[in-house]
Amino acid sequence: MSSALTDLCPYPIVQAPMAGGASCPRLAAAVSDAGGLGFLAAGYKTADGMYQEIKQVRGLTPRAFGVNLFMPQPGQADPAAVDVYRDQLAGEANWYDTPLGDPDAGRDDGYEAKLAILLDDPVPLVSFTFGCPAPETLAAFRRAGTLTVVTVTSPDEALAARAAGADAVCVQGVEAGGHQGTHRDDPESGGSGTGLLSLVALVKEAVDLPVVAAGGLMRGGQIAAVLAAGADAAQLGTAFLVCPESGANDLHKRAMTDPLFTRTELTRAFSGRPARGLVNRFMHEHGPYAPAAYPEVHHLTSGLRKAAAKAGDPQGMALWAGQGHRLARDLPAGRLVEVLKAELDAAAASLAPRGGTA
């Protein structure tokens, strides 16, 4: 996989698939053109919407790119808890003058239809979040010539990915922005998680699979650190979110370095699943009461988040961000890849053995 991954992208720099609009075709193509690996996020899109974006990327670059899928979620939410949260959000609906969404709008994110498209017209790489695909699914992608990556947040999840036949794992540390890609959302976990460097070492001890490291990475020196820890590549999301090619809302981009937003937290407030974002009013007021109910809460709050963005109010938006958000640089995506690679090379050179005699 390491040599295959090198064939896909000359540099060990992967642009994270950020669902919700940030990981658009322009961004993916720009990163791939610069020598990294661009990614599309199929989450929250229809199967046809995903396919149209794939066609756009192919029209923008001849380079390889990836597509990320959300795994279907089991129906474990407590309907009564969702109803209580709906009542709590009534004031938000009145404030933004928009109805709350239907929590039962769907659980599978069009998974089977997306699989069918990707197997019929393969892309170079497909990754999976919120679970591990069935062995027969991964075997079908292998026959199609597509490399597969499963997002993991623990050694046990990495073992499950290896047993199912994944080609590699994306090891996501707790520092990462957006949703934690846990295979099972445990309400008793309290939002805890393992830091990236420790997690890379733990996963490398557990499985002999190539590792893409993700979580809070913003500088080339950090990429060098995870590569030294045993990763084969580094995946960055927040770093690319502020690029002009990113499809993220301008309010979201500006918030990354706005002194008004000083820290991030894991919250269920917007989706019902732990996700890291900038602490704002909505997260502060509703996070402590949000149930473990994904995607029900996601559907419930979708209209509110869109209305807040339309109103120019970042205090009601899901401002997903990793712990390194204050290091964000407003650079074109291709230029950012070049800067990261230069920083990586400099860090690697500083760690290289020096000649001389004692």
Side-chain angles (χ1 to χ4, degrees):
M1 172 66 185
S2 294
S3 61
L5 185 60
T6 302
D7 289 342
L8 290 185
C9 54
Y11 304 155
I13 299 170
V14 180
Q15 166 246 310
M18 297 171 281
S23 297
C24 60
R26 283 185 64 221
L27 178 62
V31 171
S32 291
D33 266 345
L37 182 68
F39 245 103
L40 291 176
Y44 309 140
K45 294 184 176 72
T46 64
D48 182 63
M50 175 196 75
Y51 186 55
Q52 295 305 317
E53 290 203 346
I54 290 172
K55 290 198 296 185
Q56 289 179 50
V57 174
R58 286 172 171 160
L60 291 170
T61 179
R63 298 288 188 93
F65 63 95
V67 174
N68 175 259
L69 300 180
F70 284 173
M71 294 295 298
Q73 298 299 291
Q76 297 177 332
D78 178 359
V82 175
D83 286 343
V84 169
Y85 195 55
R86 183 209 294 268
D87 292 341
Q88 182 179 334
L89 295 177
E92 299 284 351
N94 290 333
W95 176 257
Y96 291 113
D97 192 24
T98 192
L100 295 172
D102 178 8
D104 299 316
R107 309 195 59 81
D108 68 355
D109 200 49
Y111 179 71
E112 293 295 338
K114 291 171 183 176
L115 286 183
I117 289 173
L118 291 168
L119 288 170
D120 181 63
D121 190 1
V123 298
L125 186 146
V126 172
S127 68
F128 301 86
T129 300
F130 300 152
C132 183
E136 52 268 28
T137 298
L138 296 175
F141 276 113
R142 187 171 298 108
R143 291 192 297 271
T146 296
L147 295 170
T148 55
V149 179
V150 173
T151 304
V152 302
T153 61
S154 71
D156 285 344
E157 291 177 352
L159 287 166
R162 183 186 66 179
D167 293 312
V169 288
C170 178
V171 175
Q172 184 194 46
V174 73
E175 305 95 332
H179 284 93
Q180 292 288 293
T182 51
H183 293 190
R184 186 176 69 88
D185 181 12
D186 181 9
E188 303 301 319
S189 68
S192 62
T194 304
L196 180 58
L197 285 175
S198 295
L199 188 57
V200 167
L202 289 167
V203 169
K204 292 293 290 185
E205 290 281 335
V207 300
D208 184 20
L209 283 177
V211 164
V212 179
L217 305 177
M218 303 291 290
R219 294 287 189 265
Q222 293 172 299
I223 297 174
V226 294
L227 295 182
D232 298 271
Q235 180 170 285
L236 294 76
T238 304
F240 286 105
L241 185 143
V242 299
C243 293
E245 296 91 343
S246 160
N249 186 285
D250 285 342
L251 293 170
H252 193 170
K253 293 181 179 183
R254 291 197 295 270
M256 293 299 104
T257 53
D258 187 334
L260 181 65
F261 301 104
T262 59
R263 61 191 176 91
T264 66
E265 283 185 5
L266 288 171
T267 186
R268 298 181 187 273
F270 297 101
S271 72
R273 228 181 193 277
R276 183 173 297 281
L278 299 176
V279 177
N280 60 4
R281 178 195 60 79
F282 193 102
M283 186 190 296
H284 179 74
E285 292 182 1
H286 301 294
Y289 312 103
Y294 177 86
E296 287 86 353
V297 172
H298 163 75
H299 295 314
L300 198 63
T301 67
S302 178
L304 295 177
R305 288 176 274 132
K306 292 175 182 175
K310 185 176 181 180
D313 181 12
Q315 296 295 337
M317 297 168 59
L319 302 174
W320 302 138
Q323 287 184 341
H325 65 95
R326 299 303 290 272
L327 297 171
R329 297 178 282 201
D330 182 10
L331 295 173
R335 176 60 182 153
L336 179 56
V337 172
E338 294 172 355
V339 170
L340 290 169
K341 180 58 167 58
E343 292 172 345
L344 168 60
D345 289 345
S350 71
L351 295 173
R354 288 178 168 83
T357 58

